[in-house]
């Protein structure tokens, strides 16, 4: 409330009260500070991505966050913008939305979750103890023994 007194020459007017209403005009959308980078994770690796760091609101309005395209097991906290969780392998196109209750701004990024690395089974060890060479050795030993008996 504002009081106004007029003055004309030597005469003052009566006090008038003036009420001024200032309405908060929310006409600026949240700003995307920089593009969200691609994210690559290993299978079942925990995701922790702070989406809020990519958005600001010039008017200082509180932002809420949502996302589409997130894999099952990964979600976004609507108040903090933190994307977290674990998911199976795949490539996902994610769209994050920052909302100041009047205006919205979107940003997208690709989330790649690598498939688990499967190691090849080791080849079984050979039990070959010189089998054919051993048989040959036995045969020669037998011939040698037989030849010695004949000589005696």
């Amino acid at each position: 409330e504002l009081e106004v007194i007029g003055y004309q020459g030597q005469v003052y007017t009566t006090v008038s009260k003036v009420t001024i209403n200032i309405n908060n005009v929310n006409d600026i959308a949240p700003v995307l500070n920089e593009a969200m980078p691609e994210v690559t994770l290993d299978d079942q690796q925990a995701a922790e991505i702070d989406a809020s760091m990519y958005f600001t609101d010039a008017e200082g309005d509180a932002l809420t966050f949502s996302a589409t395209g997130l894999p099952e097991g990964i979600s976004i906290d609507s108040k903090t913008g933190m994307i977290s969780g674990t998911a199976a392998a795949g490539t996902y196109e994610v769209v994050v939305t920052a909302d100041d209750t009047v205006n919205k701004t979107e940003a997208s990024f690709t989330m790649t979750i690598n498939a688990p690395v499967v190691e090849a089974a080791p080849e079984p060890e050979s039990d070959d103890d010189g089998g054919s060479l051993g048989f040959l050795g036995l045969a020669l030993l037998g011939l040698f023994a037989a030849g010695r008996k004949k000589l005696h």
Side-chain angles (χ1 to χ4, degrees):
E1 198 170 277
L2 177 69
E3 292 184 353
V4 177
I5 300 173
Y7 178 71
Q8 185 174 11
Q10 298 280 333
V11 181
Y12 290 94
T13 62
T14 58
V15 174
S16 298
K17 292 185 178 185
V18 178
T19 302
I20 300 172
N21 293 322
I22 300 174
N23 295 324
N24 182 16
V25 178
N26 185 353
D27 59 352
I28 301 174
V31 175
L32 179 63
N33 301 322
E34 61 182 276
M36 295 184 73
E38 292 185 9
V39 174
T40 301
L41 303 168
D42 290 327
D43 183 58
Q44 298 303 317
Q45 179 182 355
E48 289 194 19
I49 304 160
D50 185 1
S52 70
M53 67 185 275
Y54 297 97
F55 298 91
T56 56
D57 190 88
E59 299 165 317
D61 298 323
L63 298 175
T64 57
F65 300 91
S66 60
T68 59
L70 289 171
E72 186 176 327
I74 296 182
S75 60
I76 187 168
D77 183 301
S78 64
K79 292 182 176 134
T80 65
M82 184 62 74
I83 298 171
S84 60
T86 57
T91 299
Y92 307 90
E93 296 300 323
V94 179
V95 177
V96 176
T97 302
D99 185 343
D100 69 3
T101 71
V102 175
N103 299 293
K104 297 177 182 182
T105 300
E106 294 182 341
S108 61
F109 69 96
T110 302
M111 177 182 286
T112 302
I113 301 175
N114 294 325
V117 176
V118 178
E119 293 184 26
E123 291 193 27
E125 290 186 23
S126 172
D127 288 339
D128 185 9
D129 57 358
S132 60
L133 187 55
F135 178 74
L136 180 62
L138 284 174
L140 288 174
L141 187 58
L143 284 174
F144 179 71
R148 279 184 62 112
K149 278 187 176 180
K150 281 186 172 182
L151 291 176
H152 290 288

